[in-house]
């Protein structure tokens, strides 16, 4: 592409005892006659840790160094300050994180990129799954995926499939396995890669997935190598335990529309899978909390029919009393156990689904966590499902981990119902409760987690550790658990010789893989514990995880990898980070109506504030673009216009009390905002003096001094006195309007408003306006950073919408939490009223009136 040819790409995966090491090697040549920028970007599984990255340019290799995050950042910034930079950007999808690096290479030069990452494959639904993202973006002369699997227990099945595999390509996948070894190769020719006979587009765009399972003659398998051991536990043919499930479902206004429809659809499918021995109930929370029944109910055919009717009638109302909902669920389960309504040998679980943040009842998330932990007392796991990007994912994850469960994000997509069902299937077949794997204390140190509340059918428990005496070569393990009919208890013995016998096929094994598997699992679990810990405990866990990350060269949330590129190549530097789910990475376009008032603000949103400066978040780049609009007082600007939902937002500009004779342009601000829903004949006019609601012919007005919580059909409005107000209409986006008050006798300035749009994904793809057009993903590339006219603010070239713009690195203010001082948001500033970034020119957005 553009004179750059990727002539070779190889993905080489080696899996030994579920531990996978993947190496992606990409070779490119600049066929042009001037130097060009070459990009290498690849998507990795979120569960993987990068272990190495290097670039070889004209035969010289430049390796990556893994360092503590802060040290890496300093090294990176030092390199950046000397010249240009192209960083390794991170963005995230459902299963993947994106790793990108670019380098300028001379005409006729070649570059080789090599990236290695490792992960422990988890067993789900009876199979281990390895997922490879394939997206070369052009035809590649020498393209190959090669996967080698070695399992000492023996392989029972091996399959490979790709979302992009056509009937013709199906025959290109070569697959063999026998006994302990399996092999898959996929090597399409140039012609086989084409979308059609003479096309230059590549078919290779999607997911390539390898699945396999192993022979299980015993319930477990123990392997010992060089002073480390790994113990896999996955018994088969156990009778299923009855289960007691409480579904706690958010029905607040922000769930309306597609989200509640998909929730109903998923719950109806789940009801088809509930067994007659199971007990269940539903708790719904909006502003109020309702439960279907007072107690847990047995899943008889009659009760299931009644439950289906109840689920079909679930609808949204009110705000988010998350605390009330979850405590009601716990109370029902506790009462069932105390009153012996449920079988003594049964597994209890709570599944909570929410799309917002608590804002009724107890809304402080730390208080909720403390109450929930005390109420559950470790008796059963809590699974928290966060629907969409508006949830406080860290809170959901902490609360789940504290209660022996886990959190999972449900993506707002056409398959949300399937995602919910898929999660339920993972936890719907408990086989054992209170599983403990006990190892001789005087022989083992640094053991990973060895007690588990539930073991589910089709999954696997993995424990690893190291021997105190590195020369010890045998181990005895006692395993205990409670099954449906009786307690499970057995002892396993293994010695290093037995493992060595199984490992005679050495060419299939990479390095000290059991030691690395132990390190991977230990780091993963330390980071999980760290999520919940505070104070000194958190510091100790952080230090331990950091130490292991550096020792084993893993890019984890505590480390980064810096690649300093050669001076001849513009002295560029790159940095690779491990994003943290729910913090660094997600388009947190916020949540239930009032979360901004009650809890910390999300990172990603679009806004206009100040003299009007627009901030456009670009979560994929973890960055923002901003621009100003300079117009005369009295002009009305179209900010958001969605013909599908009928929602419009327009703003009228005011100026300073008198024009500043020194300034060429008079400062202007928004002095009036009009928000309407045409379908509901509903209008809200906000000025710094008052808020007016017009519903048909009815009018209601109140001032910023009033504390108002208003809910009526299609409208939720909450004021936070003299500070801000939250507004949501129908099932569309939510808005926060910030009030800026100046000294009443100020000779120049007057009060004005700022607008922040949350949950903009709820508006249609036809949305437009100065803000609305940016609710759809926008991509940009920054090149040639160089000193600008202001020494503190470098200039750069931005490639956006196939245009080259000169932009300046600067800051704009976010005033949501602090209307007086605001918080600095770094962004790339586009000059001349957003020319080249906005569709058309800024005067296209001037309209005749507020509605």
């Amino acid at each position: 592409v553009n004179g750059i040819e990727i002539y070779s790409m190889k993905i080489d995966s080696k899996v030994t005892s579920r531990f996978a090491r993947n190496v992606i090697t990409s070779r490119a040549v600049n066929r042009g006659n001037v130097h060009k920028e070459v990009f290498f970007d690849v998507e990795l599984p979120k569960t993987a840790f990068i272990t190495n990255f290097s670039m070889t340019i004209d035969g010289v290799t430049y390796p990556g160094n893994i360092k503590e995050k802060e040290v890496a950042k300093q090294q990176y910034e030092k390199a950046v300050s000397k010249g240009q930079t192209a960083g390794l950007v991170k963005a995230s999808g459902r299963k993947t994180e994106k790793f990108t690096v670019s380098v300028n290479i001379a005409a006729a030069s070649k570059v080789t990129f090599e990236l290695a990452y490792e992960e422990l494959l988890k067993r789900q639904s009876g199979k281990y799954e390895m997922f490879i993202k394939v997206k070369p973006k052009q035809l590649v002369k020498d393209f190959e995926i090669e996967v080698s699997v070695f399992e000492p227990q023996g392989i029972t099945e091996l399959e490979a499939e790709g979302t992009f595999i056509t009937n013709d390509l199906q025959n290109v996948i070569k697959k063999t396995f026998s006994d302990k070894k399996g092999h898959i190769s996929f090597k399409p020719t140039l012609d086989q890669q084409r979308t059609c006979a003479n096309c230059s587009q590549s078919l290779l765009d999607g997911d390539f997935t390898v699945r396999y399972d192993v022979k299980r003659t015993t319930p477990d398998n123990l392997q010992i190598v060089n002073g480390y051991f790994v113990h896999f536990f996955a018994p088969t043919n156990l009778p299923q335990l009855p289960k007691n499930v409480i579904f706690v479902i958010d029905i607040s206004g922000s769930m309306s529309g597609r989200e509640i429809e998909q929730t109903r659809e998923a719950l109806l499918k789940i009801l088809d899978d509930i067994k007659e021995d199971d007990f269940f109930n539903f708790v719904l929370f909006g502003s109020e909390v309702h439960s279907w029944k007072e107690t847990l109910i047995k899943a008889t055919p009659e009760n299931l029919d009644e439950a289906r009717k109840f689920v079909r009638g679930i609808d949204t109302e009110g705000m988010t009393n998350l605390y009330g909902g979850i405590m009601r669920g716990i109370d029902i389960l506790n009462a069932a156990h105390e009153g012996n309504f449920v079988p003594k040998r049964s597994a209890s679980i709570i599944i909570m689904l929410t799309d917002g943040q608590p804002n009724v009842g107890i809304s402080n998330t730390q208080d909720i966590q403390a109450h929930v932990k005390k109420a559950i007392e470790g008796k059963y796991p809590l699974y928290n499902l966060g629907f969409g990007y508006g949830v406080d994912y860290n809170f959901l994850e902490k609360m789940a981990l504290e209660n022996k469960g886990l959190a999972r994000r449900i993506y707002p997509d056409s398959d949300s119902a399937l995602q919910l069902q898929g999660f339920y299937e993972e936890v719907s077949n408990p086989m054992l409760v209170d599983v403990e794997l006990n190892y001789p204390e005087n022989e083992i140190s640094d053991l990973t987690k060895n007690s588990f509340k539930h073991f589910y059918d089709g999954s696997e428990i993995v424990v690893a550790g190291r021997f105190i005496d590195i020369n010890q070569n045998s181990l005895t393990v006692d395993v205990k658990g409670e099954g449906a009919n009786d307690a499970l208890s057995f002892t396993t013995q293994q010695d290093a010789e037995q493992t060595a016998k199984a490992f005679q096929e050495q060419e299939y094994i990479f390095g000290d893989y059991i030691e690395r598997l132990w390190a991977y699992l230990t780091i993963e679990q330390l980071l999980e514990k760290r999520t919940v810990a505070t104070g000194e405990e958190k510091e100790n866990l952080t230090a331990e995880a950091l130490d292991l990350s550096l020792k084993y060269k893993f890019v984890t949330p505590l480390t980064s990898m810096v690649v300093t590129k050669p001076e001849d190549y513009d002295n560029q530097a790159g940095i690779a980070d491990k994003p943290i789910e729910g913090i660094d990475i997600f388009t947190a376009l916020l949540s239930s109506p009032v979360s901004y008032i009650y809890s910390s603000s999300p990172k990603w949103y679009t806004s206009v504030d100040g003299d009007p400066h627009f901030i456009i978040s670009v979560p994929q780049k973890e960055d923002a673009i901003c621009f100003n609009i300079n117009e005369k007082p009295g002009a009305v600007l179209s900010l958001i216009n969605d013909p599908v939902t009928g929602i419009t937002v327009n703003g009228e500009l005011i100026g300073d009390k008198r024009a500043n004779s020194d300034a060429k342009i008079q400062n202007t601000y928004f002095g009036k905002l009009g928000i309407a829903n045409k379908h509901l004949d509903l209008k809200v006019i906000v000025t710094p003096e008052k808020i007016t609601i017009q519903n048909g012919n009815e009018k209601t007005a109140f001032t910023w001094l009033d504390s108002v919580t208003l809910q009526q059909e299609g409208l939720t409005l909450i004021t936070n006195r003299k500070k801000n107000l939250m507004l949501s209409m129908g099932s569309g986006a939510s808005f926060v309007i910030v009030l800026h008050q100046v000294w009443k006798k100020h000779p120049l300035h007057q009060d004005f408003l700022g607008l922040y749009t949350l949950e903009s994904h709820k508006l249609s793809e036809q949305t437009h306006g100065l803000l609305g057009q940016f609710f759809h993903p926008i991509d940009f590339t920054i090149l040639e950073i160089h000193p600008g006219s202001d020494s503190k603010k470098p200039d750069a070239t931005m490639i956006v919408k196939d245009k080259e713009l000169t932009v300046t690195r600067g800051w704009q203010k976010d005033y949501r939490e602090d209307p007086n001082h605001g918080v600095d948001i770094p962004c790339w500033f586009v000059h001349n009223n957003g020319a080249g970034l906005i569709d058309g020119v800024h005067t296209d957005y001037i309209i005749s009136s507020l509605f």
Side-chain angles (χ1 to χ4, degrees):
V1 176
N2 194 20
I4 298 293
E5 183 196 335
I6 300 171
Y7 60 91
S8 165
M9 186 176 243
K10 178 153 189 187
I11 301 165
D12 180 38
S13 302
K14 287 191 166 54
V15 185
T16 305
S17 295
R18 296 66 153 165
F19 197 59
R21 176 181 171 80
N22 297 285
V23 180
I24 299 172
T25 308
S26 180
R27 301 175 198 276
V29 59
N30 180 0
R31 300 262 186 228
N33 49 13
V34 292
H35 71 85
K36 287 268 172 67
E37 194 169 18
V38 184
F39 286 88
F40 169 73
D41 62 12
V42 78
E43 289 182 53
L44 318 170
K46 279 185 182 173
T47 46
F49 292 150
I50 292 171
T51 59
N52 188 37
F53 173 74
S54 66
M55 287 184 303
T56 303
I57 304 171
D58 291 339
V60 182
T61 298
Y62 303 91
N65 293 310
I66 292 174
K67 302 191 171 181
E68 186 180 351
K69 224 179 188 79
E70 204 45 49
V71 176
K73 192 171 163 225
Q74 286 164 9
Q75 186 186 335
Y76 175 63
E77 283 169 355
K78 192 174 168 189
V80 170
S81 67
K82 288 183 188 167
Q84 300 179 324
T85 165
L88 300 184
V89 183
K90 50 191 169 50
S92 186
R94 284 193 191 182
K95 288 183 172 181
T96 59
E97 288 156 3
K98 193 171 183 182
F99 172 99
T100 305
V101 67
S102 67
V103 64
N104 268 313
I105 64 164
S109 275
K110 289 183 176 179
V111 58
T112 298
F113 300 103
E114 185 175 290
L115 178 75
Y117 63 91
E118 294 175 11
E119 67 173 326
L120 178 64
L121 304 181
K122 297 208 166 49
R123 188 168 184 254
Q124 271 180 356
S125 308
K127 287 176 187 163
Y128 304 99
E129 180 177 287
M130 185 168 72
F131 163 86
I132 296 167
K133 193 79 174 173
V134 177
K135 198 172 188 159
K137 295 185 184 168
Q138 57 171 276
L139 301 172
V140 179
K141 194 166 106 197
D142 181 14
F143 180 92
E144 183 176 12
I145 297 175
E146 187 173 24
V147 181
S148 306
V149 182
F150 178 82
E151 286 290 348
Q153 285 170 266
I155 297 168
T156 54
E157 56 183 315
L158 177 68
E159 57 192 54
E161 61 181 35
T163 53
F164 53 87
I165 299 289
T166 57
N167 287 342
D168 294 340
L169 280 179
Q170 194 66 51
N171 304 325
V172 182
I173 300 177
K174 301 281 183 266
K175 180 181 81 166
T176 57
F177 72 93
S178 65
D179 195 24
K180 300 183 184 103
K181 289 182 179 180
H183 187 260
I184 284 166
S185 80
F186 175 64
K187 198 173 177 178
T189 63
L190 268 178
D191 283 343
Q192 286 168 328
Q193 292 172 42
R194 296 179 197 278
T195 46
C196 67
N198 299 312
C199 298
S200 58
Q201 267 89 28
S202 173
L203 272 173
L204 308 186
D205 184 358
D207 307 338
F208 189 83
T209 307
V210 173
R211 293 187 190 87
Y212 73 91
D213 200 18
V214 299
K215 284 182 186 151
R216 295 178 198 283
T217 48
T218 55
D220 64 345
N221 176 260
L222 193 55
Q223 297 171 23
I224 301 167
V225 177
N226 295 341
Y228 289 82
F229 77 87
V230 61
H231 185 192
F232 301 105
F233 175 71
T236 50
N237 304 323
L238 292 174
Q240 194 173 313
L241 274 166
K243 63 183 178 296
N244 317 306
V245 195
I246 296 260
F247 297 94
V248 180
I249 308 291
D250 183 345
I251 58 161
S252 62
S254 55
M255 283 282 291
S256 62
R258 201 156 144 204
E259 291 184 6
I260 202 72
E261 281 169 29
Q262 290 174 317
T263 303
R264 284 195 294 259
E265 185 188 329
L267 289 174
L268 287 169
K269 288 276 194 332
I270 286 168
L271 284 169
D272 291 343
D273 292 336
I274 288 183
K275 317 279 190 304
E276 194 153 352
D277 288 340
D278 295 343
F279 285 75
F280 71 107
N281 200 349
F282 297 100
V283 174
L284 310 179
F285 64 91
S287 295
E288 304 292 324
V289 176
H290 317 277
S291 55
W292 171 49
K293 300 285 184 187
E294 291 303 303
T295 59
L296 279 172
I297 297 293
K298 197 167 194 292
T300 62
E302 301 76 38
N303 287 338
L304 286 169
D305 277 344
E306 195 185 330
R308 287 184 188 98
K309 279 187 199 129
F310 174 77
V311 167
R312 286 188 193 103
I314 293 176
D315 210 349
T316 54
E317 59 91 10
M319 288 154 62
T320 310
N321 186 357
L322 186 148
Y323 171 75
I326 197 158
M327 290 304 281
R328 174 79 61 89
I330 295 167
D331 289 345
I332 291 171
L333 255 188
N334 283 345
H337 280 278
E338 284 157 18
N340 295 321
F341 295 142
V342 293
K344 196 160 177 52
R345 289 184 179 277
S346 61
S348 294
I349 54 178
I350 299 179
I351 298 176
M352 180 177 74
L353 171 74
T354 180
D355 80 329
Q357 296 176 33
N359 51 37
V360 174
I362 295 180
S363 56
N364 180 304
T365 52
Q366 286 175 322
D367 290 349
I368 296 173
Q369 276 168 242
H371 285 293
V372 166
K373 189 176 178 184
K374 192 176 173 199
I376 291 181
E377 287 182 314
K379 295 193 288 279
Y380 22 79
L382 166 66
Y383 294 106
N384 288 333
L385 305 181
F387 205 134
Y389 302 114
V391 291
D392 181 344
Y393 191 83
N394 300 324
F395 155 61
L396 294 184
E397 185 176 42
K398 274 184 188 174
M399 191 161 64
L401 291 172
E402 276 188 335
N403 295 288
K404 300 185 177 179
L406 54 87
R408 184 74 60 83
R409 197 180 281 280
I410 301 296
Y411 292 83
D413 223 328
S414 54
D415 68 343
S416 298
L418 288 171
Q419 294 173 56
L420 286 166
Q421 280 165 250
F423 174 78
Y424 176 74
E425 280 162 20
E426 285 176 46
V427 297
S428 63
N429 294 314
M431 304 309 238
L432 296 169
V433 295
D434 298 324
V435 180
E436 289 209 6
L437 301 93
N438 296 309
Y439 306 83
E441 275 179 38
N442 56 349
E443 295 174 14
I444 298 298
S445 72
D446 301 311
L447 189 66
T448 61
K449 182 178 166 184
N450 66 325
S451 69
F452 301 84
K453 191 67 200 164
H454 289 171
F455 167 73
Y456 295 106
D457 192 25
S459 72
E460 179 172 71
I461 286 172
V462 183
V463 182
R466 62 177 179 179
F467 293 103
I468 292 168
D469 173 3
I470 197 155
N471 297 314
Q472 184 174 333
N473 56 15
S474 67
L475 185 64
T476 304
V477 189
D478 292 322
V479 182
K480 291 182 169 48
E482 293 290 324
N485 302 330
D486 47 29
L488 173 90
S489 180
F490 66 89
T491 300
T492 297
Q493 280 181 307
Q494 174 78 338
D495 62 46
E497 264 180 45
Q498 287 168 287
T499 309
K501 262 185 214 158
F503 279 18
Q504 279 154 356
E505 295 86 345
Q506 284 300 320
E507 88 270 16
Y508 263 55
I509 299 169
F510 58 89
D512 307 322
Y513 88 91
I514 284 193
E515 185 177 343
R516 293 190 70 76
L517 186 159
W518 164 82
Y520 173 96
L521 199 55
T522 303
I523 292 167
E524 206 176 47
Q525 292 177 4
L526 286 169
L527 292 171
E528 210 169 80
K529 283 184 194 161
R530 177 177 172 264
T531 304
V532 179
T534 53
E536 195 181 338
E537 187 194 359
K538 187 168 193 143
E539 284 172 26
N540 293 340
L541 290 165
T542 302
E544 207 180 326
L546 173 63
D547 195 39
L548 284 173
S549 302
L550 292 170
K551 182 180 175 185
Y552 289 94
K553 295 189 164 47
F554 285 134
V555 176
T556 70
L558 304 175
T559 52
S560 295
M561 180 170 57
V562 181
V563 189
T564 308
K565 304 171 196 173
E567 300 224 359
D568 305 352
Y569 292 92
D570 297 334
N571 196 11
Q572 296 167 320
I575 190 161
D577 268 350
K578 177 78 178 168
I580 303 168
E581 170 80 71
I583 297 182
D584 293 341
I585 215 62
F586 274 34
T587 330
L589 285 167
L590 210 66
S591 70
S592 80
V594 272
S595 47
Y596 81 94
I597 292 171
Y598 291 89
S599 78
S600 64
S601 304
K603 211 166 157 186
W604 309 122
Y605 55 88
T606 53
S607 70
V608 55
D609 208 334
D611 50 349
H613 57 248
F614 290 75
I615 303 180
I616 308 303
S617 288
V618 186
Q620 295 80 359
K621 297 283 186 189
E622 290 225 320
D623 212 337
I625 302 176
C626 45
F627 58 93
N628 288 357
I629 294 292
N630 299 309
E631 257 311 317
K632 294 185 179 71
V636 179
L637 299 177
S638 167
L639 301 176
I640 298 165
N641 180 6
D642 180 6
V644 177
T645 62
I647 289 176
T648 60
V649 182
N650 301 317
E652 185 177 318
L653 294 173
I654 54 170
D656 286 335
K657 290 175 185 170
R658 55 187 168 78
N660 182 344
S661 55
D662 301 338
K664 289 179 187 164
I665 301 166
Q666 184 181 358
N667 285 335
T668 52
Y669 311 85
F670 281 114
K672 191 184 276 189
L673 291 169
I675 302 166
N677 186 328
K678 290 174 187 166
H679 300 336
L680 297 175
D681 195 14
L682 187 60
K683 293 173 184 169
V684 178
I685 301 162
V686 183
T687 68
E689 293 72 48
K690 63 178 181 177
I691 298 120
T692 309
I693 300 167
Q694 198 171 327
N695 196 344
N697 297 321
E698 285 178 35
K699 258 191 188 179
T700 315
F702 42 88
T703 73
W704 284 90
L705 288 168
D706 301 316
S707 283
V708 176
T709 300
L710 180 73
Q711 287 194 294
Q712 59 185 62
E713 193 195 347
L715 176 69
T716 301
L717 188 145
I718 298 155
T719 61
N720 195 10
R721 288 186 72 217
K722 293 174 74 173
K723 194 173 176 186
N724 46 31
L725 73 82
M726 189 292 307
L727 170 75
S728 66
M729 278 197 174
S731 56
S734 302
F735 307 100
V736 174
I737 296 168
V738 173
L739 172 66
H740 294 273
Q741 290 185 308
V742 298
W743 177 45
K744 284 284 169 268
K745 293 178 183 171
H746 197 290
L748 198 61
H749 302 316
Q750 42 184 341
D751 297 350
F752 64 96
L753 304 168
L755 174 81
Y756 296 78
T757 302
L758 317 172
E759 297 188 306
S760 54
H761 62 283
K762 292 196 168 179
L763 294 175
S764 81
E765 289 187 7
Q766 293 176 43
T767 305
H768 212 267
L770 280 168
L771 278 179
Q773 64 188 291
F774 298 108
F775 296 167
H776 325 303
I778 180 170
D779 194 17
F780 68 86
T781 302
I782 295 291
L783 307 169
E784 299 159 12
I785 300 175
H786 55 275
S789 53
D790 179 340
S791 59
K792 291 183 187 151
K793 297 179 177 178
D795 282 354
T797 300
M798 174 185 280
I799 313 288
V800 62
K801 296 185 175 178
D802 296 329
K803 298 186 190 86
E804 282 192 20
L805 311 179
T806 297
V807 293
T808 302
R809 191 62 172 172
W811 297 266
Q812 294 287 19
K813 293 278 192 190
D814 168 353
Y815 291 103
R816 282 170 305 163
E817 303 247 319
D818 180 353
N820 298 322
H821 306 106
V823 177
D824 283 332
I825 302 290
C827 61
W828 291 107
F829 185 81
V830 178
H831 302 271
N832 305 325
N833 292 303
L837 172 70
I838 62 173
D839 294 340
V841 293
H842 84 276
T843 49
D844 297 343
Y845 298 87
I846 297 174
I847 53 177
S848 58
S849 69
L850 209 54
F851 296 110

